[in-house]
Amino acid sequence: MNIILLGPPGAGKGTQADMLTEHYGMAKLSTGDMLRAEVASGSAIGSKLQAIMSRGELVPDDIMIDMIRARIQKPDCGNGFTLDGFPRTEGQAAALDEMLAKEKKSLDFVIELAVDDKILVDRISGRFSCAKCGAGYHDHFKPTKASGICDACGSAEFSRRADDNAETVAKRLKAYHAQTAPLLPYYKKKGLLVSVDGMAPMEDVTASIRKIIMSQPSRI
Ligand code: AP5
């Protein structure tokens, strides 16, 4: 089963992609995580990427397409994958169609997490993650069980993303509406788009996604 999660910054794509990995063993293909790993590696391309991301702009299509093309061919994608953060432009969507056809793969669902812009800034400004294992949290919506200790690995070190500030979030939202939202009608036309209320509590969003998947058991 291959799924795209579509939605604005902070809509919950990463959170729900983790759920799909946990429940269905699907590989999580997060382009944001891949780009941040490249930045953290200290490579020359990493510093160019960091500049683009800190401006809240999209990285050029050719870089993103090459990144996903290489990732989709890895063996763990044979169990199915969730795309979190890709495609983000019509060019990326067309390239994805081509690469899936070449790999004799197809998309099963494109799930939109619909969230109003006004609540996204709160969501993003409260987000933090474990600096050791990467587990994600939120100051109010998903705190650690024991204060200051990661539930997953016990580390006491946490970090916040450099692009999670109000000014950059506003630019990321603008980029979403101008460049990514046109993908909603693109996938609707293909009969793949399903929309869920991304403003519901996390567990309810998860339940809605699982219901959509269970309604088409042949695709699992
Ligand atoms: P990326 O890392 O993909 O960021 P994004 O799309 O802006 O999405 P986020 O990771 O901010 O949010 P999310 O939807 O995953 O929400 P999350 O689950 O964390 O991209 C970063 C940058 O990289 C881009 O700006 C761009 O420069 C570049 N880039 C990446 N891909 C690219 C591409 N394909 N092309 C070009 N450039 C690209 O949730 C957010 C918070 O809310 C968390 O704290 C979570 O705990 C909480 N939360 C989640 N769900 C709920 C809920 N239902 N209720 C309450 N709280 C919730």
Side-chain angles (χ1 to χ4, degrees):
M1 176 169 61
N2 301 320
I3 294 181
I4 294 176
L5 293 178
L6 260 185
K13 303 181 294 296
T15 302
Q16 299 303 329
D18 286 339
M19 175 284 288
L20 290 166
T21 301
E22 210 173 287
H23 282 292
Y24 302 104
M26 299 162 67
K28 175 186 176 185
L29 275 52
S30 160
T31 43
D33 288 350
M34 293 176 206
L35 291 166
R36 283 183 287 279
E38 189 62 46
V39 170
S41 76
S43 67
I45 174 90
S47 62
K48 286 186 188 150
L49 295 172
Q50 184 172 31
I52 297 170
M53 291 162 76
S54 64
R55 289 196 299 269
E57 294 169 5
L58 294 186
V59 170
D61 279 357
D62 54 342
I63 296 179
M64 300 316 305
I65 291 164
D66 286 350
M67 202 174 254
I68 286 295
R69 185 178 287 119
R71 184 64 187 85
I72 256 171
Q73 289 169 4
K74 297 223 165 127
D76 63 334
C77 290
N79 288 335
F81 54 79
T82 307
L83 285 162
D84 157 19
F86 185 95
R88 257 174 154 103
T89 64
E90 286 171 333
Q92 292 179 18
L96 178 66
D97 287 346
E98 263 176 46
M99 67 180 97
L100 290 176
K102 209 169 159 195
E103 295 284 318
K104 300 199 179 358
K105 290 180 178 173
S106 57
L107 291 169
D108 295 292
F109 303 99
V110 176
I111 300 176
E112 178 199 12
L113 301 176
V115 181
D116 288 347
D117 285 6
K118 58 182 186 305
I119 74 161
L120 294 171
V121 176
D122 271 357
R123 283 236 189 131
I124 291 176
S125 53
R127 171 170 55 189
F128 63 99
S129 61
C130 173
K132 195 171 165 205
C133 74
Y137 298 98
H138 190 281
D139 292 329
H140 308 297
F141 305 126
K142 194 187 172 192
T144 53
K145 286 180 186 140
S147 174
I149 305 288
C150 175
D151 300 351
C153 75
S155 166
E157 279 181 47
F158 296 91
S159 61
R160 290 181 192 257
R161 275 169 49 178
D163 60 345
D164 279 354
N165 58 76
E167 194 190 334
T168 309
V169 171
K171 289 185 188 154
R172 285 160 59 196
L173 270 172
K174 210 169 157 197
Y176 174 78
H177 289 297
Q179 291 165 279
T180 308
L183 298 185
L184 297 170
Y186 179 86
Y187 287 117
K188 191 169 184 195
K189 228 187 235 174
K190 289 176 178 279
L192 290 168
L193 185 73
V194 199
S195 187
V196 305
D197 176 9
M199 290 179 284
M202 261 175 242
E203 307 71 39
D204 295 2
V205 179
T206 298
S208 301
I209 293 175
R210 292 186 72 184
K211 204 166 154 197
I212 289 165
I213 292 171
M214 296 315 288
S215 72
Q216 304 280 346
S218 61
R219 298 191 193 175
I220 300 175

